[in-house]
C-alpha cells in the first residue's frame, strides 16, 4: 500500500479553487488489481480538483495507449485511450450510509473528518471504462500487419454461404407487385 501514496490527495491543506494533478500510469499500477485484459499501458491521467465548501468536483482526463487482445484474431492490438469522467465528492457525517443509498455512480461521500482522498480506484475504473466493449481493428484495417492471417482465413472458411438469400426475397416480391397493382 505504501507505493500507492502518490494517489492520496491531502485535500484539507488545499485552498478553495482548482488544483491539477497528473499521474503517469504503467503496467505496474495494475499489479495491485490483479491480471488485466491489456498490457503495455502508457497512460496519462490529468485530474482537476475543484475544491468548494462541503464538496469537491473532480474531472479525470484519460489519455494514452495500451495493447489489448483482438476479439477477432487474437493478436495484440494497440488501442488509443481518450475519455473524461466527472465525480462529485461530498463531505458528510455518515458517508457509509449515504454511499449505500446513492444511486448516481458519479457522486461519492466521505466523512467530514477525512483529510485525504484516495483516487487510485477511480483511475483504475476509468481506464477500464475507456476501453471499448469490442476490441477489434476497423473493417478497413482487417488483414493488416497486426492481424493473425491464419485465424482470419479460418474465420472466412466458417462463414455460411448465401446461396438462398435471393430465394427468400423472391417470394416477397409477389406481395410488392400485388400492392402496386391495387394502388393504381
Amino acid at each position: 500500500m505504501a507505493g500507492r501514496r502518490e494517489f492520496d490527495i491531502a485535500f484539507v491543506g488545499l485552498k478553495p479553487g482548482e488544483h491539477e494533478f497528473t499521474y503517469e500510469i504503467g503496467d505496474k499500477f495494475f499489479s495491485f488489481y490483479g491480471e488485466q485484459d491489456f498490457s503495455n499501458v502508457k497512460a496519462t491521467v490529468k485530474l482537476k480538483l475543484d475544491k468548494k465548501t462541503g464538496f469537491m468536483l473532480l474531472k479525470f482526463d484519460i489519455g494514452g495507449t495500451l495493447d489489448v487482445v483482438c476479439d477477432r484474431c487474437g493478436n495484440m492490438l494497440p488501442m488509443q485511450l481518450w475519455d473524461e469522467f466527472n465525480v462529485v465528492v461530498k463531505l458528510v457525517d455518515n458517508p457509509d450510509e449515504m454511499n449505500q443509498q446513492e444511486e448516481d455512480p458519479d457522486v461519492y461521500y466521505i466523512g467530514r473528518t477525512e483529510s485525504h482522498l484516495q483516487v487510485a480506484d477511480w483511475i483504475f475504473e476509468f481506464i477500464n471504462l475507456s476501453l471499448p466493449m469490442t476490441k477489434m481493428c476497423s473493417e478497413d484495417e482487417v488483414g493488416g500487419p497486426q492481424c493473425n492471417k491464419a485465424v482470419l482465413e479460418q474465420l472466412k472458411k466458417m462463414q455460411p454461404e448465401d446461396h438462398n438469400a435471393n430465394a427468400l426475397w423472391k417470394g416477397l416480391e409477389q406481395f410488392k407487385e400485388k400492392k402496386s397493382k391495387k394502388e393504381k
Side-chain angles (χ1 to χ4, degrees):
M1 195 73 167
R4 296 173 44 90
R5 286 206 174 162
E6 68 183 284
F7 301 101
D8 284 347
I9 298 174
F11 64 87
V12 171
L14 297 177
K15 294 178 181 178
E18 289 187 1
H19 306 273
E20 293 190 17
F21 303 88
T22 302
Y23 301 98
E24 297 299 326
I25 306 297
D27 289 337
K28 184 179 176 186
F29 171 83
F30 293 96
S31 64
F32 180 80
Y33 297 98
E35 192 172 331
Q36 302 299 310
D37 293 339
F38 48 83
S39 61
N40 198 23
V41 180
K42 292 176 182 74
T44 300
V45 177
K46 294 181 181 178
L47 169 60
K48 187 182 293 185
L49 184 148
D50 189 0
K51 185 178 178 185
K52 309 281 187 185
T53 304
F55 70 99
M56 293 174 276
L57 303 171
L58 282 71
K59 180 180 179 186
F60 293 84
D61 284 318
I62 311 291
T65 61
L66 50 74
D67 293 337
V68 296
V69 176
C70 177
D71 291 338
R72 181 180 290 128
C73 73
N75 273 6
M76 294 307 282
L77 178 68
M79 182 87 31
Q80 190 74 31
L81 292 174
W82 181 85
D83 219 334
E84 59 183 42
F85 300 90
N86 296 308
V87 176
V88 176
V89 178
K90 296 182 179 182
L91 301 165
V92 295
D93 292 325
N94 51 349
D96 293 334
E97 182 183 328
M98 296 296 288
N99 282 322
Q100 287 177 355
Q101 293 175 0
E102 184 60 53
E103 293 180 13
D104 187 348
D106 297 333
V107 176
Y108 187 74
Y109 298 93
I110 61 173
R112 291 188 192 282
T113 58
E114 293 289 327
S115 61
H116 288 75
L117 187 62
Q118 173 44 265
V119 297
D121 290 343
W122 281 318
I123 292 172
F124 169 78
E125 181 180 344
F126 296 152
I127 287 176
N128 275 283
L129 288 173
S130 297
L131 296 172
M133 291 290 282
T134 305
K135 300 164 189 81
M136 293 188 287
C137 55
S138 64
E139 288 298 321
D140 57 320
E141 295 175 322
V142 173
Q146 74 276 2
C147 290
N148 185 332
K149 308 276 192 283
V151 171
L152 293 178
E153 284 299 317
Q154 190 65 28
L155 288 172
K156 199 175 209 178
K157 289 178 186 176
M158 295 172 66
Q159 286 181 340
E161 295 181 23
D162 265 351
H163 293 297
N164 297 330
N166 288 338
L168 173 70
W169 295 111
K170 196 174 199 175
L172 293 174
E173 288 174 358
Q174 66 181 336
F175 296 110
K176 184 178 177 184
E177 290 174 12
K178 287 181 183 178
K179 185 177 179 185
S180 298
K181 290 177 183 177
K182 286 183 181 180
E183 289 175 356
K184 290 181 182 180

